[in-house]
Amino acid sequence: MSTFEIDTTINGTPVRHSVDARKTLAVMLRDDFQLTGTHIGCKTGNCGACTVELDGATVKSCCVMAAEADGSEVTTIEQLSQGGELHPMQESFSRNQALQCGFCTPGMIMSACALLKTKSEPTEEEIRVGLKGNLCRCTGYDKIIKAVQEASKDAPSGNPDVTSAAPLEATALNG
């Protein structure tokens, strides 16, 4: 078994950590740092439940090896809420009942925050494109789209508290 020592920053905290060469970033976050908001669904990058920010870009953490985080900054869903207060996107998801089982919610929220960083008031189509690669099997997306629209309208343009994640690579959202 091959291990690597990595230096990374996770949710603003610098850490030095020994990781198995075969361990993904998602598994490291969950198992080694108890950041269980990063959900592991498909393990192939298709569902988006494991979406986190890595050096300012959203990634599917099940497809990134933990060793690749060496020298990088990782932001997870746990970092969005501050001082016991939900992030505005989290509040909007709750108000709009944009979650049902909650499994996809962390990835959806990370991706939605990334979208708002590049589009302060996205259209429905821009939201659908921005959430591509995040699959929900419960809500049918209508309430998720409404939540993102509401969060974008409630937030002043460029507000770092609302747009704290980085742009999402486009992948696939049906609906």
Side-chain angles (χ1 to χ4, degrees):
M1 173 170 70
S2 186
T3 60
F4 295 94
E5 285 293 318
I6 65 169
D7 292 302
T8 189
T9 301
I10 300 174
N11 293 335
T13 303
V15 296
R16 170 166 232 140
H17 189 63
S18 182
V19 295
D20 183 314
R22 300 168 294 175
K23 188 176 279 191
T24 65
L25 180 57
V27 171
M28 179 186 82
L29 292 169
R30 289 181 59 79
D31 293 355
D32 299 354
F33 294 98
Q34 290 70 54
L35 296 170
T36 56
T38 301
H39 294 167
I40 300 173
C42 65
K43 299 182 185 176
T44 61
N46 290 320
C47 75
C50 67
T51 301
V52 300
E53 184 180 302
L54 180 66
D55 289 333
T58 54
V59 298
K60 310 289 180 62
S61 62
C62 72
C63 295
V64 175
M65 300 311 294
E68 292 179 81
D70 188 32
S72 296
E73 186 168 330
V74 179
T75 304
T76 70
I77 190 76
E78 286 88 354
Q79 182 66 18
L80 293 185
S81 62
Q82 296 291 317
E85 295 293 320
L86 289 177
H87 184 278
M89 187 64 73
Q90 292 169 312
E91 288 177 358
S92 186
F93 265 61
S94 178
R95 268 192 313 273
N96 287 284
Q97 300 173 354
L99 49 103
Q100 198 160 346
C101 80
F103 195 79
C104 71
T105 304
M108 288 283 188
I109 289 174
M110 294 297 290
S111 296
C113 288
L115 171 64
L116 293 188
K117 187 165 185 161
T118 61
K119 299 276 185 183
S120 61
E121 284 195 44
T123 65
E124 180 178 334
E125 183 60 28
E126 289 169 329
I127 293 170
R128 288 182 182 279
V129 170
L131 296 179
K132 283 184 173 185
N134 294 84
L135 302 177
C136 176
R137 289 177 169 81
C138 299
T139 68
Y141 302 102
D142 290 337
K143 292 178 181 183
I144 293 168
I145 291 165
K146 183 179 177 190
V148 177
Q149 287 172 325
E150 180 184 291
S152 73
K153 288 181 176 114
D154 289 346
S157 182
N159 179 347
D161 291 335
V162 175
T163 60
S164 61
L168 174 68
E169 62 186 77
T171 43
L173 173 70
N174 299 320

